Amino acid sequence: MATAAQWIEGARLRTLPMAIAPVLIGSAAAHALDGFHLGRAVLALIVALALQVGVNYSNDYSDGIRGTDDDRVGPLRLTGSGAAPARAVKLAAFSCFGVAAVAGLGLIAWSGTWWLAVVGVLAIVAAWYYTGGQKPYGYRGLGEVFVFIFFGLVAVLGTTYTQALAVSGPAWAGAVGCGLVSTALLMANNVRDIPTDRQTGKMTLAARLGDTPARWSYVAMVGVAIVLPLFFTGEYPWLWLVALTAAVAVRPSITMIRSSERRDLIPVLKLTGILGLVYAVLFAAGLVL
């Protein structure tokens, strides 16, 4: 059986900033609409974190049983390495989805937004079928679409709406920005795995685009995310703070473009997680100050 440290590594903690970021921005957007609610923000955070860890364990399980992770460059995978039984990893994934569902039901009950239950169900179904099932859409280059929609648009706008019962232009900018940064993180991960993914038939967007275009798409996504909130500096002058994120983006962007060894891309995942959190903190500060 895997050790506690291996289970923690399998949860891929470096991806958690991508779950925290949209809740920060969404809550700040709710504050700007005079609708911030701490309790609902906490529930939204639980949903986001549980869904992110659930996706990570789900991917570990599904890729592991397909043999996609048998020969890979990167951190430990519980199923592929044999550190944990596939059934145990699958149970961990669905346990996380269960936590997300319970917290989500509490959130929509508290806010009275029952129609969002449909969105919640879709999020869990999409999380599983990203790499699960007989025809996973993540293997057809659509994983980035899932990440952009659910860890960007749904996460930010859902957080804002369940607190303020309204959304705003800055909320939309933050939703698109978070979605792009999260997609950039996935792109960095998939660029690293292009050779092994192609061998196993996992045609991610990176594998379809090819090495060089995929690397430059990372830079483009991060750049657009940073620029978007600047369109609202007339109403929220402190949003100029978001431009400081560019300084954090330089190192991972250069690594993405110039690195020849795929192992060199591993730190980009951590740096992109940090970038996403810095982006969210500065964006939130820009709306609150």
Side-chain angles (χ1 to χ4, degrees):
M1 289 295 294
T3 65
Q6 287 174 320
W7 277 106
I8 292 173
E9 185 176 359
R12 308 182 204 179
L13 299 187
R14 67 182 179 277
T15 64
L16 295 190
M18 296 297 97
I20 298 170
V23 178
L24 280 177
I25 293 177
S27 296
H31 180 277
L33 292 168
D34 296 322
F36 174 70
H37 191 290
L38 179 59
R40 295 176 195 170
V42 170
L43 282 177
L45 181 60
I46 293 172
V47 171
L49 289 171
L51 190 59
Q52 178 68 68
V53 176
V55 168
N56 292 341
Y57 281 138
S58 173
N59 293 348
D60 187 307
Y61 165 79
S62 297
D63 285 344
I65 63 173
R66 284 189 170 86
T68 308
D69 287 341
D70 288 352
D71 182 19
R72 69 186 303 276
V73 177
L76 171 76
R77 290 295 179 264
L78 295 164
T79 308
S81 67
R87 179 183 292 271
V89 180
K90 183 178 181 180
L91 178 61
F94 277 92
S95 296
C96 291
F97 293 153
V99 171
V102 171
L105 284 172
L107 177 59
I108 63 176
W110 201 345
S111 60
T113 54
W114 288 103
W115 61 273
L116 284 175
V118 177
V119 179
V121 171
L122 289 176
I124 293 175
V125 170
W128 172 250
Y129 284 102
Y130 170 41
T131 54
Q134 294 184 350
K135 295 182 179 180
Y137 62 86
Y139 280 51
R140 291 180 285 172
L142 298 175
E144 286 76 7
V145 176
F146 159 72
V147 168
F148 179 78
I149 291 175
F150 289 101
F151 286 94
L153 302 185
V154 171
V156 174
L157 298 177
T159 298
T160 302
Y161 191 79
T162 52
Q163 294 179 49
L165 299 181
V167 294
S168 61
W172 274 100
V176 173
C178 271
L180 287 173
V181 175
S182 294
T183 304
L185 187 148
L186 179 60
M187 183 63 71
N189 180 79
N190 290 343
V191 167
R192 182 197 65 201
D193 294 338
I194 286 177
T196 54
D197 282 349
R198 283 177 171 171
Q199 289 172 7
T200 56
K202 185 178 182 180
M203 295 303 294
T204 63
L205 182 59
R208 291 181 181 278
L209 289 176
D211 191 79
T212 299
R215 289 171 185 262
W216 278 101
S217 72
Y218 173 95
V219 180
M221 291 176 205
V222 172
V224 172
I226 294 173
V227 169
L228 275 178
L230 304 185
F231 286 99
F232 296 92
T233 52
E235 185 178 0
Y236 301 96
W238 282 101
L239 277 176
W240 280 108
L241 286 171
V242 179
L244 296 175
T245 310
V248 185
V250 170
R251 183 179 171 189
S253 295
I254 290 176
T255 302
M256 281 295 297
I257 295 170
R258 294 183 178 178
S259 63
S260 57
E261 295 293 330
R262 300 200 179 269
R263 187 171 294 277
D264 294 339
L265 297 179
I266 296 174
V268 174
L269 303 182
K270 179 180 179 180
L271 291 172
T272 307
I274 295 172
L275 186 157
L277 195 55
V278 170
Y279 176 81
V281 169
L282 294 177
F283 200 130
L287 291 178
V288 171
L289 293 177

